[in-house]
Every structure is written in structure tokens, then in C-alpha cells.
Amino acid sequence: MRTVKTNSPEETWELAGELADKIEPGTVIALHGDLGAGKTCFIQGFAAALGIDEPITSPTYTLIGEYEGRLPLHHIDLYRLSGPQEALGLGLEEYFDVNGITAIEWAERAEGLLPPDILHIRIEADETTQTRTFTIFKENEA
Ligand SMILES: Nc1ncnc2c1ncn2[C@@H]1O[C@H](COP(=O)(O)OP(=O)(O)OP(=O)(O)O)[C@@H](O)[C@H]1O
Ligand SMILES: [Mg+2]
């Protein structure tokens, strides 16, 4: 388990880039944190470090975005998921056995459908400043 604080979106990009440089292909990242915590910001920095120049957005009608970089990146945002039934219908497993990286926002909405050795990143925002506290740990060391 590792705890890191960032004080700006730029510092979050730096942290994400550091992780992207040493990530194992096939890793599934579960991002946790309230609305506006910085989950998408982190994934944008991560994508940039993988050499992806396409903007990473939070699509309104699709839950899954696919990008090609040094490693393929699947960005899944489960915020709009109506329930566990819909999670089952997404076929999430298909994204997990690829040689790329899958990053999932609101991953707790697919609890039980995620692989066992997932990398968790929990982001907590400070109420009054731009400080974000990142807690990073592997599921099997939790
Ligand atoms: N240290 C920081 N790290 C990341 N983002 C920060 C930081 N400080 C301020 N911000 C701002 O916080 C916001 C984070 O938004 P972002 O879309 O990444 O949140 P999110 O967790 O993906 O929210 P949602 O659940 O709505 O998808 C951005 O406006 C960003 O500029
Ligand atoms: Mg987001």
C-alpha cells in the first residue's frame, strides 16, 4: 500500500505517468472516489504517458472507450450503470485478458465481476484545496 498526495491536476498527471511507466500489461485498475475526485484526470495523465494523444472523455452514451498507445487502454466509466444486471451485460471479462490496461471509474459498481489481482486507486479530495490523497494497493495485499 502506498499513499501519495498531489496538489494540482498537473501533479496527478505526473503520478499517473510514473505508474504508467512501470505498469504490467494486463493490469486492471479500479478507481474509487467521489464525483470530481480526479479519476478521469488520473486516467488522462496515464493515457498521455502511454503515448495516446486522443482526448480521454467521459462518454455520455457509451460506458467504454478504447484507445491505442504503447499499450492499448480501455477506459470504463460505470457511473451511469443502472445496476448489477447491466454490469453483467457489459461483458467486462473481455477487456481483462488483453495485453492492455483497463481503467475503471466507479469500479465498486461491478463488484464481484472484477479479476482477483486488481490494482485499486482510491482518491480523496480535500474540501478546500486542490490536494488529493491517492491510496494505491493491490487487491490481494489489502
Ligand atoms: N490534485 C488534483 N488532482 C486531480 N484533479 C484535480 C486536482 N486538483 C483539482 N482538480 C480538479 O478536480 C477535477 C477532477 O475531475 P475529474 O473529472 O477527474 O473527476 P472524476 O473523479 O473523474 O469525477 P466523476 O466521478 O464525475 O467522473 C478537475 O476539475 C480537476 O481540474
Ligand atoms: Mg470521471
Side-chain angles (χ1 to χ4, degrees):
M1 169 130 96
R2 177 180 171 212
T3 306
V4 185
K5 283 186 195 295
T6 68
N7 297 304
S8 64
E10 292 75 20
E11 283 187 25
T12 293
W13 272 51
E14 254 174 63
L15 171 65
E18 215 181 279
L19 257 96
D21 289 343
K22 55 182 192 210
I23 198 101
E24 296 274 345
T27 302
V28 178
I29 305 173
L31 289 129
H32 310 278
D34 292 339
L35 286 170
K39 301 178 292 297
T40 302
C41 178
F42 178 90
I43 295 168
Q44 286 166 338
F46 194 93
L50 292 180
I52 294 163
D53 356 290
E54 249 182 284
I56 305 286
T57 53
S58 290
T60 312
Y61 297 107
T62 49
L63 298 168
I64 300 171
E66 297 186 66
Y67 304 89
E68 277 304 325
R70 179 170 63 75
L71 300 170
L73 175 70
H74 306 286
H75 174 210
I76 302 181
D77 189 339
L78 299 180
Y79 183 66
R80 292 175 196 84
L81 208 63
S82 59
Q85 206 58 39
E86 199 188 340
L88 276 171
L90 287 173
L92 291 175
E93 338 62 73
E94 277 178 44
Y95 295 92
F96 300 155
D97 60 359
V98 294
N99 295 318
I101 306 298
T102 304
I104 312 176
E105 297 189 43
W106 297 97
E108 57 279 8
R109 300 194 173 180
E111 218 181 346
L113 299 175
L114 304 178
D117 62 343
I118 197 160
L119 179 69
H120 290 281
I121 301 184
R122 189 171 303 285
I123 312 174
E124 280 163 293
D126 189 81
E127 275 177 26
T128 50
T129 69
Q130 292 206 317
T131 301
R132 302 291 194 265
T133 305
F134 287 76
T135 308
I136 304 169
F137 61 98
K138 277 278 201 164
E139 169 89 16
N140 47 23
E141 68 183 36

Short mmCIF file of all heavy atoms in Angstrom, two decimals, residues 94-116:
data_model
loop_
_atom_site.label_atom_id
_atom_site.label_comp_id
_atom_site.label_asym_id
_atom_site.label_seq_id
_atom_site.Cartn_x
_atom_site.Cartn_y
_atom_site.Cartn_z
N GLU A 94 -14.18 -9.54 -21.17
CA GLU A 94 -13.49 -9.44 -22.45
C GLU A 94 -12.32 -8.46 -22.41
O GLU A 94 -11.37 -8.59 -23.16
CB GLU A 94 -14.44 -8.92 -23.53
CG GLU A 94 -15.30 -9.98 -24.13
CD GLU A 94 -16.25 -9.37 -25.14
OE1 GLU A 94 -15.80 -8.52 -25.95
OE2 GLU A 94 -17.43 -9.73 -25.11
N TYR A 95 -12.44 -7.46 -21.56
CA TYR A 95 -11.41 -6.43 -21.52
C TYR A 95 -10.25 -6.82 -20.61
O TYR A 95 -9.20 -6.22 -20.65
CB TYR A 95 -12.02 -5.10 -21.03
CG TYR A 95 -13.03 -4.61 -22.03
CD1 TYR A 95 -14.36 -4.94 -21.90
CD2 TYR A 95 -12.60 -3.89 -23.14
CE1 TYR A 95 -15.28 -4.53 -22.85
CE2 TYR A 95 -13.52 -3.48 -24.09
CZ TYR A 95 -14.85 -3.80 -23.94
OH TYR A 95 -15.75 -3.42 -24.87
N PHE A 96 -10.45 -7.82 -19.76
CA PHE A 96 -9.47 -8.12 -18.73
C PHE A 96 -8.32 -9.00 -19.19
O PHE A 96 -7.26 -8.95 -18.62
CB PHE A 96 -10.14 -8.78 -17.52
CG PHE A 96 -11.19 -7.91 -16.90
CD1 PHE A 96 -12.23 -8.46 -16.18
CD2 PHE A 96 -11.13 -6.53 -17.05
CE1 PHE A 96 -13.20 -7.66 -15.60
CE2 PHE A 96 -12.10 -5.71 -16.48
CZ PHE A 96 -13.14 -6.29 -15.76
N ASP A 97 -8.54 -9.83 -20.22
CA ASP A 97 -7.47 -10.76 -20.58
C ASP A 97 -6.65 -10.25 -21.77
O ASP A 97 -5.91 -10.99 -22.38
CB ASP A 97 -8.01 -12.16 -20.83
CG ASP A 97 -9.03 -12.18 -21.94
OD1 ASP A 97 -9.31 -11.10 -22.48
OD2 ASP A 97 -9.54 -13.25 -22.28
N VAL A 98 -6.77 -9.02 -22.08
CA VAL A 98 -5.99 -8.46 -23.17
C VAL A 98 -4.61 -8.07 -22.64
O VAL A 98 -4.37 -8.06 -21.44
CB VAL A 98 -6.66 -7.23 -23.81
CG1 VAL A 98 -7.95 -7.64 -24.49
CG2 VAL A 98 -6.90 -6.16 -22.79
N ASN A 99 -3.73 -7.71 -23.53
CA ASN A 99 -2.39 -7.31 -23.12
C ASN A 99 -2.31 -5.84 -22.78
O ASN A 99 -1.24 -5.30 -22.61
CB ASN A 99 -1.40 -7.65 -24.23
CG ASN A 99 -1.31 -9.14 -24.43
OD1 ASN A 99 -1.28 -9.90 -23.46
ND2 ASN A 99 -1.29 -9.58 -25.68
N GLY A 100 -3.47 -5.23 -22.71
CA GLY A 100 -3.51 -3.81 -22.42
C GLY A 100 -3.84 -3.52 -20.97
O GLY A 100 -3.74 -4.38 -20.11
N ILE A 101 -4.26 -2.29 -20.74
CA ILE A 101 -4.63 -1.82 -19.41
C ILE A 101 -6.10 -1.47 -19.42
O ILE A 101 -6.59 -0.86 -20.37
CB ILE A 101 -3.82 -0.55 -19.04
CG1 ILE A 101 -2.31 -0.77 -19.20
CG2 ILE A 101 -4.18 -0.07 -17.63
CD1 ILE A 101 -1.72 -1.82 -18.32
N THR A 102 -6.82 -1.87 -18.39
CA THR A 102 -8.21 -1.47 -18.24
C THR A 102 -8.33 -0.61 -16.99
O THR A 102 -7.90 -1.03 -15.92
CB THR A 102 -9.13 -2.72 -18.10
OG1 THR A 102 -8.92 -3.57 -19.23
CG2 THR A 102 -10.59 -2.32 -18.05
N ALA A 103 -8.84 0.61 -17.15
CA ALA A 103 -9.00 1.51 -16.01
C ALA A 103 -10.50 1.75 -15.82
O ALA A 103 -11.19 2.18 -16.75
CB ALA A 103 -8.27 2.83 -16.25
N ILE A 104 -11.01 1.46 -14.63
CA ILE A 104 -12.45 1.50 -14.39
C ILE A 104 -12.81 2.53 -13.32
O ILE A 104 -12.40 2.42 -12.17
CB ILE A 104 -12.97 0.12 -13.92
CG1 ILE A 104 -12.44 -0.99 -14.84
CG2 ILE A 104 -14.49 0.11 -13.87
CD1 ILE A 104 -12.83 -2.39 -14.37
N GLU A 105 -13.61 3.55 -13.71
CA GLU A 105 -14.12 4.51 -12.73
C GLU A 105 -15.40 3.93 -12.11
O GLU A 105 -16.17 3.28 -12.79
CB GLU A 105 -14.45 5.85 -13.40
CG GLU A 105 -13.23 6.51 -13.99
CD GLU A 105 -13.50 7.95 -14.46
OE1 GLU A 105 -14.18 8.72 -13.75
OE2 GLU A 105 -13.01 8.29 -15.55
N TRP A 106 -15.63 4.19 -10.86
CA TRP A 106 -16.78 3.67 -10.12
C TRP A 106 -16.80 2.15 -10.19
O TRP A 106 -17.85 1.52 -10.35
CB TRP A 106 -18.09 4.27 -10.67
CG TRP A 106 -18.15 5.75 -10.48
CD1 TRP A 106 -17.84 6.70 -11.42
CD2 TRP A 106 -18.52 6.47 -9.30
NE1 TRP A 106 -17.99 7.97 -10.88
CE2 TRP A 106 -18.41 7.85 -9.58
CE3 TRP A 106 -18.95 6.08 -8.03
CZ2 TRP A 106 -18.70 8.84 -8.64
CZ3 TRP A 106 -19.23 7.07 -7.10
CH2 TRP A 106 -19.11 8.43 -7.41
N ALA A 107 -15.60 1.55 -10.04
CA ALA A 107 -15.43 0.11 -10.19
C ALA A 107 -16.24 -0.69 -9.18
O ALA A 107 -16.61 -1.84 -9.43
CB ALA A 107 -13.95 -0.25 -10.08
N GLU A 108 -16.54 -0.08 -8.02
CA GLU A 108 -17.29 -0.82 -7.00
C GLU A 108 -18.68 -1.21 -7.49
O GLU A 108 -19.31 -2.11 -6.96
CB GLU A 108 -17.34 -0.05 -5.66
CG GLU A 108 -17.92 1.34 -5.70
CD GLU A 108 -16.92 2.42 -6.17
OE1 GLU A 108 -15.80 2.06 -6.61
OE2 GLU A 108 -17.27 3.60 -6.11
N ARG A 109 -19.14 -0.53 -8.57
CA ARG A 109 -20.45 -0.89 -9.13
C ARG A 109 -20.42 -2.22 -9.88
O ARG A 109 -21.46 -2.72 -10.30
CB ARG A 109 -20.97 0.23 -10.04
CG ARG A 109 -21.11 1.48 -9.21
CD ARG A 109 -21.88 2.58 -9.85
NE ARG A 109 -22.03 3.64 -8.83
CZ ARG A 109 -22.66 4.77 -8.99
NH1 ARG A 109 -23.21 5.03 -10.15
NH2 ARG A 109 -22.75 5.63 -8.02
N ALA A 110 -19.24 -2.77 -10.09
CA ALA A 110 -19.12 -4.08 -10.76
C ALA A 110 -18.47 -5.07 -9.81
O ALA A 110 -17.82 -6.01 -10.24
CB ALA A 110 -18.32 -3.95 -12.04
N GLU A 111 -18.65 -4.83 -8.52
CA GLU A 111 -18.05 -5.72 -7.53
C GLU A 111 -18.46 -7.16 -7.81
O GLU A 111 -19.60 -7.42 -8.17
CB GLU A 111 -18.52 -5.31 -6.13
CG GLU A 111 -17.41 -5.45 -5.12
CD GLU A 111 -17.84 -5.08 -3.73
OE1 GLU A 111 -18.92 -4.46 -3.57
OE2 GLU A 111 -17.08 -5.41 -2.81
N GLY A 112 -17.53 -8.08 -7.68
CA GLY A 112 -17.85 -9.48 -7.94
C GLY A 112 -17.57 -9.87 -9.38
O GLY A 112 -17.48 -11.04 -9.70
N LEU A 113 -17.46 -8.86 -10.26
CA LEU A 113 -17.20 -9.16 -11.68
C LEU A 113 -15.75 -8.83 -12.04
O LEU A 113 -15.34 -9.00 -13.18
CB LEU A 113 -18.12 -8.34 -12.58
CG LEU A 113 -19.62 -8.55 -12.43
CD1 LEU A 113 -20.39 -7.58 -13.31
CD2 LEU A 113 -19.98 -9.98 -12.79
N LEU A 114 -15.00 -8.34 -11.08
CA LEU A 114 -13.64 -7.88 -11.36
C LEU A 114 -12.63 -8.98 -11.06
O LEU A 114 -12.87 -9.84 -10.22
CB LEU A 114 -13.34 -6.62 -10.52
CG LEU A 114 -14.34 -5.48 -10.75
CD1 LEU A 114 -14.00 -4.30 -9.85
CD2 LEU A 114 -14.35 -5.04 -12.20
N PRO A 115 -11.47 -8.96 -11.75
CA PRO A 115 -10.48 -10.01 -11.54
C PRO A 115 -9.85 -9.90 -10.15
O PRO A 115 -9.89 -8.83 -9.52
CB PRO A 115 -9.45 -9.76 -12.63
CG PRO A 115 -9.64 -8.35 -13.03
CD PRO A 115 -11.06 -8.00 -12.77
N PRO A 116 -9.24 -11.00 -9.67
CA PRO A 116 -8.75 -11.05 -8.29
C PRO A 116 -7.53 -10.18 -7.99
O PRO A 116 -7.38 -9.74 -6.86
CB PRO A 116 -8.40 -12.53 -8.08
CG PRO A 116 -8.28 -13.11 -9.44
CD PRO A 116 -9.13 -12.29 -10.34
#
